[in-house]
Amino acid sequence: MIEEKIVTYFVLIDDLLKNIGIHDEPQTTVSSSEIMTMAIIAHTEFSGNYSKALEWIKAFCSHLFPKVPDKSTFSRRLEKLLPHMQSIIFNLAMMSEGRDKYYLIDCMPVKVCENARIWTCKTLRGEVYRGYTPSKREYFYGFKLNTLMGSDGLIREVCLLEGSRHDIEGLSEMSFYGVGDREVIGDKAYRNYQMEDVLWEEGIRLSPLRTKKERRYEGEWVEYVKRVYRRFAESVFSVLRRFLGLRPYSVSLSGLFVKIYMAVISYNLHRLWSAGML
C-alpha cells in the first residue's frame, strides 16, 4: 500500500469519527483514527491478519505511526469502536450518493472453521451456526452476511445472521435507509410475498429473481436483466472475501464481528479509491 493511500484513508476515517461524535481522551497516545487505519491496512494487505500487519507497520511505517500498540491493546481499542462501524460503512457509501440506479441485496457465508473442527471451536457453540450454501452444495459453520449494496459497488448496510437462519430473516433487521423508490434486486432466496408487501408499504421495492410459474413473474427480459445485475454482487463478494480472509479468527464473538465489519469498511475505501472518488 502506497503512503499516499494510507494518509488518505487516515484523513477520511478521522473526519468520519469526528462527525459521529467520537473523540479520544487527552492522554491517549494512539488515536482511534490510527487504530482503524492500521486495521484497514491489515485487511487490504494481510487478509485481516492483525499480528502481521502490526509487525509490518512497525518495520516500514514508523514515520506514519510513531507508536504502535501491542496486539491485545489494539484489539480492545477496535472492539470499543464496534457500535459505530455500521454508521461508518453507511457514510462511506453515501460519498457516491446519487450515482445508484438500483440496489442489490445478497448474502455471503462467513466460514469460521471447517466442519471437521466444529467440536474444537471455542468462539462459536451450537448448531445454530451451521448453515448450508445451495449454490456450492456445502455446509459451513459461522455466519451469513446480508449486504445491501448500490450499483456503484459500495456496501451501504450489513446484517449478520447465524448460519442456520434463512437469508430473508435479515430483511426485517435492515433499515434500507436512503434507498427511496429505487429497485432492490435479490436472488431467489428473498422470494416472500408477505415480506415484499411489508417493504412496499414502507416505500421499498424488493424485486427478487422469479420463475415463470410465479404469480409475480415480470417477463423473460426483466428476469434476464436482473440476473445480469445479480452477477455484480458476486464480484463484490470476491474482493470482500480477500479482505476478510479464508476463515476470520478471533478468541471472542465481538472480535469476529469487528473483523467482519472492518473488512466491509476496508472494501468500501478500496472501492472509493479505485473509482477515483478519494
Side-chain angles (χ1 to χ4, degrees), residues 19-123:
N19 290 338
I20 60 180
I22 298 177
H23 301 283
D24 295 315
E25 297 295 331
Q27 68 271 18
T28 303
T29 56
V30 183
S31 68
S32 297
S33 305
E34 289 177 293
I35 293 291
M36 287 201 74
T37 306
M38 293 178 195
I40 290 164
I41 294 172
H43 284 280
T44 55
E45 302 299 320
F46 299 94
S47 298
N49 190 319
Y50 291 161
S51 297
K52 286 185 178 179
L54 292 176
E55 291 175 6
W56 182 84
I57 291 169
K58 286 179 182 178
F60 301 103
C61 291
S62 58
H63 60 295
L64 295 177
F65 302 97
K67 295 187 178 181
V68 180
D70 59 79
K71 174 66 173 2
S72 60
T73 303
F74 175 79
S75 299
R76 287 197 301 270
R77 291 286 303 276
L78 266 182
E79 288 184 25
K80 289 182 179 179
L81 296 170
L82 180 59
H84 308 284
M85 290 184 182
Q86 184 79 264
S87 177
I88 294 172
I89 291 170
F90 177 76
N91 279 284
L92 288 172
M94 289 294 287
M95 293 183 67
S96 67
E97 183 66 11
R99 300 188 182 190
D100 293 313
K101 299 177 181 178
Y102 58 89
Y103 294 98
L104 295 168
I105 187 165
D106 204 352
C107 193
M108 183 185 85
V110 179
K111 186 188 296 185
V112 175
C113 72
E114 297 294 342
N115 286 323
R117 295 186 174 89
I118 290 176
W119 66 279
T120 63
C121 183
K122 297 180 180 179
T123 308

Side-chain angles (χ1 to χ4, degrees), residues 76-199:
R76 287 197 301 270
R77 291 286 303 276
L78 266 182
E79 288 184 25
K80 289 182 179 179
L81 296 170
L82 180 59
H84 308 284
M85 290 184 182
Q86 184 79 264
S87 177
I88 294 172
I89 291 170
F90 177 76
N91 279 284
L92 288 172
M94 289 294 287
M95 293 183 67
S96 67
E97 183 66 11
R99 300 188 182 190
D100 293 313
K101 299 177 181 178
Y102 58 89
Y103 294 98
L104 295 168
I105 187 165
D106 204 352
C107 193
M108 183 185 85
V110 179
K111 186 188 296 185
V112 175
C113 72
E114 297 294 342
N115 286 323
R117 295 186 174 89
I118 290 176
W119 66 279
T120 63
C121 183
K122 297 180 180 179
T123 308
L124 304 180
R125 293 286 187 183
E127 286 296 306
V128 70
Y129 294 104
R130 190 195 293 270
Y132 181 71
T133 308
S135 60
K136 295 184 178 180
R137 298 180 181 179
E138 67 176 14
Y139 287 91
F140 69 94
Y141 196 71
F143 298 96
K144 288 181 176 179
L145 180 65
N146 260 334
T147 61
L148 176 67
M149 64 188 78
S151 57
D152 57 3
L154 291 171
I155 297 174
R156 298 172 60 91
E157 188 176 3
V158 296
C159 172
L160 276 173
L161 300 174
E162 293 84 356
S164 64
R165 294 174 65 184
H166 196 279
D167 297 2
I168 204 168
E169 294 183 50
L171 296 178
S172 59
E173 299 185 20
M174 301 181 81
S175 67
F176 292 94
Y177 181 77
V179 170
D181 58 353
R182 291 184 178 88
E183 187 177 27
V184 180
I185 301 172
D187 63 12
K188 295 178 182 179
Y190 294 96
R191 288 184 298 185
N192 185 295
Y193 289 172
Q194 183 179 2
M195 181 61 71
E196 288 178 41
D197 294 338
V198 170
L199 292 174

